[in-house]
Amino acid sequence: MSGEAAFNYDALLERLYSKIPRKQARHERFEVPPVKVEHIGNRTFVRNFREIAGVLRREPRLLMRYLLKELAAAGSYDEDSGILMINIRVSAASLNRLIQLFVKQYVICPTCGRPDTRLERRGKAWILVCEACGAETPVKPF
Ligand SMILES: [Zn+2]
């Protein structure tokens, strides 16, 4: 192999590697913002609900459905303000715990542990599709 051929090979490898996306630092520790709640009477308002859903890359209405089902409560999401209203009094700690459970089941890929996933509905089945490693994991619909 001539020197020139070796050089070209290195350049080719370098070009290939540069196309591989870099590992993202946020994989090391996936931070979900804590809920900002306000209680008015017997109702609970989650002021940063849209922000939380955004970090998880999930539809706010999907996350709402999960929380309301787990709390056996009614509520509504206001698109304009991004605030979730729940018809019962729930502590911030309880909400944070539920959101962590949601993340564990419906966001984090069980194969590689990364949060770069999307939820796909195929008929009645829900599949957690990982964009990092390609794993497809069936999850419990709700
Ligand atoms: Zn994965």
Side-chain angles (χ1 to χ4, degrees), residues 113-134:
R114 290 179 176 189
D116 306 305
T117 59
R118 59 179 196 274
L119 216 44
E120 277 186 16
R121 292 178 204 196
R122 296 177 193 162
K124 283 182 181 169
W126 286 21
I127 314 286
L128 188 66
V129 180
C130 180
E131 289 164 2
C133 78

Side-chain angles (χ1 to χ4, degrees), residues 37-96:
V37 301
E38 191 179 328
H39 294 113
I40 299 175
N42 280 326
R43 297 195 291 182
T44 305
F45 294 82
V46 183
R47 302 226 160 263
N48 60 339
F49 191 69
R50 179 168 45 208
E51 184 201 340
I52 292 169
V55 169
L56 307 184
R57 292 168 61 205
R58 292 295 177 267
E59 276 295 313
R61 287 179 192 288
L62 182 88
L63 181 57
M64 172 180 76
R65 214 165 103 194
Y66 176 84
L67 295 177
L68 295 181
K69 182 185 153 273
E70 293 298 314
L71 294 165
S76 62
Y77 171 67
D78 182 65
E79 203 94 43
D80 294 328
S81 62
I83 294 173
L84 171 70
M85 189 273 291
I86 307 169
N87 269 335
I88 57 167
R89 211 181 165 90
V90 197
S91 70
S94 298
L95 285 169
N96 285 329

